């Protein structure tokens, strides 16, 4: 049997496997939906809208042969300028920001519960702790944590190491750089 015929024979088997997998997913959907706490909700009006392609995004006034990028992206780019606090803006940036907004809405709702238990209590306590800046400063919790991790050689605020000299790339120099705190 030649290779093209082998591919033709495998195609129905692959399609059947995908169909079976999708059929199995349908049976699990109601159970997953039942696990969601109906006491929480999202205010979609306060969330960034996800970027979705629409046929109206294409600019028919611009020929694809002249400038394909402007034809396909021009309208979206004009309607979605890079926010002043960002260095770039695209689908993944919108997803990341939207995710943070969803987390904030849910954490705020959990923190408002009068008697949270389990994971809700952990989230509520964590949220309350992080939102009370004055108490954190008074307790010295942040400074104490930074001292502890820096003593282990893990400094979240600064990193030190060699980098190429900006004036002579054949030389390396020691640099102190701002570290990542993983905060937005």
């Amino acid at each position: 049997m030649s290779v093209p015929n082998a591919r033709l024979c495998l195609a129905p088997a692959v399609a059947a496997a995908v169909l079976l997998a999708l059929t199995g997913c349908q049976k699990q959907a109601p159970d997953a939906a039942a696990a969601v706490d109906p006491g929480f909700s999202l205010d979609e009006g306060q969330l960034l809208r996800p970027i979705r392609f629409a046929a109206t995004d294409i600019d028919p006034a611009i020929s694809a042969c002249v400038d394909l990028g402007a034809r396909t992206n021009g309208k979206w780019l004009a309607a979605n300028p890079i926010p002043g606090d960002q260095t770039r803006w695209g689908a993944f940036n919108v997803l990341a920001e939207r995710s943070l907004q969803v987390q904030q809405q849910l954490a705020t709702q959990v923190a408002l519960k009068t008697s949270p238990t389990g994971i809700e209590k952990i989230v509520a306590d964590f949220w309350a702790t992080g939102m009370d800046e004055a108490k954190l400063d008074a307790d010295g919790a942040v400074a104490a944590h930074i001292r502890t991790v820096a003593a282990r050689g893990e400094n979240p605020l600064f990193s030190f190491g060699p980098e190429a000299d900006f004036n002579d790339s054949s030389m390396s120099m020691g640099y102190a750089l701002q570290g990542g705190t993983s905060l937005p």
Side-chain angles (χ1 to χ4, degrees):
M1 180 184 293
S2 68
V3 174
N5 290 338
R7 279 187 257 163
L8 289 175
C9 292
L10 288 175
V14 171
V18 170
L19 183 60
L20 280 172
L22 292 175
T23 303
C25 290
Q26 290 176 348
K27 292 177 185 174
Q28 295 172 357
D31 296 337
V36 175
D37 184 342
F40 299 112
S41 63
L42 293 175
D43 181 356
E44 289 284 338
Q46 298 297 314
L47 300 175
L48 282 173
R49 288 184 338 204
I51 296 173
R52 295 185 172 103
F53 175 77
T56 56
D57 290 337
I58 296 175
D59 190 348
I62 301 173
S63 169
C65 297
V66 174
D67 191 346
L68 181 62
R71 179 180 172 92
T72 56
N73 299 318
K75 283 184 174 182
W76 186 87
L77 290 170
N80 295 281
I82 298 173
D85 63 339
Q86 301 289 322
T87 58
R88 61 185 180 162
W89 197 245
F92 289 112
N93 303 95
V94 170
L95 286 174
E97 290 295 320
R98 182 180 168 88
S99 176
L100 290 172
Q101 291 171 343
V102 166
Q103 292 171 48
Q104 182 179 5
Q105 282 190 26
L106 294 176
T108 302
Q109 290 175 43
V110 169
L112 293 175
K113 283 192 156 198
T114 55
S115 307
T117 59
I119 191 71
E120 290 178 354
K121 177 155 180 36
I122 293 169
V123 170
D125 290 347
F126 185 72
W127 180 257
T129 301
M131 295 306 291
D132 192 350
E133 250 182 273
K135 185 173 183 337
L136 282 172
D137 288 343
D139 291 347
V142 175
H145 174 71
I146 291 171
R147 277 193 302 272
T148 301
V149 297
R152 290 191 312 239
E154 305 167 10
N155 192 329
L157 298 180
F158 301 99
S159 62
F160 303 96
E163 292 288 334
D165 184 333
F166 292 129
N167 296 319
D168 181 0
S169 62
S170 68
M171 300 286 295
S172 291
M173 294 183 65
Y175 284 92
L177 305 168
Q178 175 184 342
T181 58
S182 73
L183 296 174

